[in-house]
Amino acid sequence: QYCCMVMRINVDCNSCCRKLRRIILRMKAIENHMIEKQQRRVFVFGRFEPGDVAIKIKKKMNRRVEILEVQEMEGEAQNEGE
């Protein structure tokens, strides 16, 4: 299922932001992402398990990852695929 997940990750410098972006881009399940550095929030959209993505980012970044919100998009995503 498609879902949109909002996470809180402490990315305090530009190199941390670049590292996070690289990690997200390497994940094939994530189709779209947005990093808000000031609010320390990361939005990811795609076909994935929210817990798995959060754990993978936590292991690679070596930082605490807090899942703030998960929205499952069912109807909209299926219409796009047709």
Side-chain angles (χ1 to χ4, degrees):
Q1 80 278 6
Y2 276 88
C3 55
C4 178
M5 179 168 66
V6 184
M7 297 176 284
R8 180 179 287 137
I9 306 171
N10 189 16
V11 281
D12 41 14
C13 61
N14 286 332
S15 64
C16 294
C17 209
R18 277 197 302 273
K19 185 177 178 182
L20 177 62
R21 179 170 280 122
R22 224 176 290 127
I23 291 166
I24 289 172
L25 288 172
R26 281 191 189 128
M27 291 185 196
K28 290 177 175 64
I30 296 174
E31 294 176 10
N32 213 337
H33 73 281
M34 186 172 74
I35 299 171
E36 287 184 353
K37 203 169 97 175
Q38 263 70 39
Q39 283 83 27
R40 296 177 174 155
R41 285 196 295 200
V42 179
F43 297 85
V44 289
F45 174 79
R47 197 182 284 262
F48 56 81
E49 283 295 321
D52 295 347
V53 170
I55 289 168
K56 193 176 271 189
I57 290 173
K58 181 185 186 303
K59 281 182 182 171
K60 292 190 178 187
M61 287 288 290
N62 200 16
R63 303 222 169 176
R64 198 178 81 205
V65 175
E66 188 182 334
I67 298 175
L68 299 177
E69 187 181 345
V70 176
Q71 288 182 330
E72 291 187 5
M73 322 283 232
E74 293 160 7
E76 302 165 34
Q78 288 172 350
N79 291 340
E80 291 170 7
E82 292 175 24

